[in-house]
Amino acid sequence: MLDGAKPGGVTASGEASVRSDAFQTVRRVVPTRRVNAGGLLKTRPVASTACFGLHSRPTDAPDSPILLMSVPRRVLKRAVDRNTVRRLARESLRSIRQQASGCALLLRLKRIPAGFEALSQQARKTAWRAELVRVFSLGVGCA
């Protein structure tokens, strides 16, 4: 490839650069497993806490679990809080990944805890983390 050129682009001097095959379709990471979220919602929750419900179903693949999340805007208005819950849920799932292998999990946020608005951001994270660890420990493994 020419110096300073992007794959398939044009250099500063106006010459066409050589197209790289690094981004061909066969080399892209494409999710191959699909999970029917509607089917998961029709199942009963395997674990439920004051704020979260966890639905679980076995999958064909025995490798790492698939996590789907529902954190609605009507429950948590601020995008920062919704993203925090999602990030903490992924972090909590990583700690129990071996026990939940071969499962499709759907985590639903049902409501926020009482007095949530009065808490600082660090206290909110601590409360969410404790709640997520609890729900995943109750519902680990496939039903």
Side-chain angles (χ1 to χ4, degrees):
M1 189 169 354
L2 301 173
D3 292 333
K6 294 181 182 176
V10 177
T11 63
S13 63
E15 301 171 343
S17 66
V18 179
R19 186 164 191 100
S20 171
D21 68 341
F23 298 109
Q24 288 181 346
T25 305
V26 288
R27 294 186 184 218
R28 287 187 196 145
V29 177
V30 179
T32 57
R33 298 181 293 169
R34 301 263 186 226
V35 176
N36 183 3
L40 270 171
L41 276 173
K42 291 177 184 175
T43 63
R44 296 190 127 198
V46 293
S48 189
T49 61
C51 300
F52 292 101
L54 183 69
H55 300 260
S56 176
R57 199 168 75 190
T59 60
D60 298 334
D63 54 347
S64 63
I66 300 168
L67 178 63
L68 304 172
M69 289 181 267
S70 171
V71 185
R73 191 184 330 171
R74 67 179 170 83
V75 177
L76 278 176
K77 302 292 184 210
R78 297 175 55 207
V80 172
D81 294 329
R82 292 193 304 272
N83 292 335
T84 299
V85 169
R86 289 184 190 110
R87 189 178 67 248
L88 291 172
R90 285 190 295 268
E91 180 183 313
S92 297
L93 183 65
R94 281 186 201 109
S95 65
I96 59 144
R97 185 176 293 271
Q98 294 295 13
Q99 294 92 345
S101 63
C103 292
L105 303 169
L106 173 65
L107 180 69
R108 289 186 322 126
L109 178 65
K110 298 187 290 187
R111 65 185 67 91
I112 59 172
F116 179 77
E117 290 81 16
L119 297 175
S120 68
Q121 185 67 20
Q122 188 61 38
R124 289 178 185 188
K125 285 182 183 181
T126 304
W128 288 127
R129 190 173 284 119
E131 190 83 17
L132 286 164
V133 166
R134 184 166 170 245
V135 74
F136 280 126
S137 66
L138 289 173
V140 74
C142 291

